[in-house]
Amino acid sequence: MLKLGIIGTGAISHYFIEAAHASQEFQLVAVYSRKLTTAQQFASSYTNVSLFDNLEDFFQSEFDVVYIASPNSLHYSQSKKALSAGKHVILEKPAVTQPQEWQELIQIAQENHRFIFEAARNYHEESFTTIKKLFSR
């Protein structure tokens, strides 16, 4: 089971945790918010979750993958810190604001043997067409 950390305490993070827990592959273990009281309020419906209001301490804690659903302007810098700390990253859309930022994040992920994903799916991708064809047989 992968240990999950969360940055962002909005409703979308709750939906993500619900889906992650339903997969039985993830367990929420850490929540970061700029205000500890916000992290406490967010995590009140979960058990055994460490709370952080210091980003460096959060990234030093024991988890495997981080879901980042913070304000868009923070996605790049938080992803960079996460990958550099050895965490896999699932990043809410939009992942970054500049193409070169995405290229840099991919490079950092490769250098650290980590994965980075944007939590968005485009229905026009080839994989969706392939799946649709498989189900229509």
Side-chain angles (χ1 to χ4, degrees), residues 20-73:
H21 283 173
S23 76
Q24 298 183 354
E25 298 292 331
F26 296 89
Q27 179 60 46
L28 179 65
V29 298
V31 173
Y32 166 80
S33 181
R34 290 172 290 179
K35 296 179 183 174
L36 197 54
T37 55
T38 305
Q40 290 168 331
Q41 185 178 22
F42 176 85
S44 65
S45 57
Y46 307 105
T47 58
N48 299 320
V49 178
S50 299
L51 307 175
F52 299 88
D53 61 359
N54 180 291
L55 197 56
E56 284 71 30
D57 292 343
F58 172 75
F59 284 130
Q60 294 304 311
S61 68
E62 294 292 322
F63 63 88
D64 306 302
V65 58
V66 61
Y67 172 67
I68 300 176
S70 57
N72 297 347
S73 63

Side-chain angles (χ1 to χ4, degrees), residues 66-70 74-76 79 89-96 102 105 116-120:
V66 61
Y67 172 67
I68 300 176
S70 57
L74 299 174
H75 287 180
Y76 168 72
S79 295
V89 175
I90 301 172
L91 184 58
E92 195 49 61
K93 63 188 180 322
V96 294
W102 184 245
L105 292 176
I116 183 168
F117 302 95
E118 184 177 44

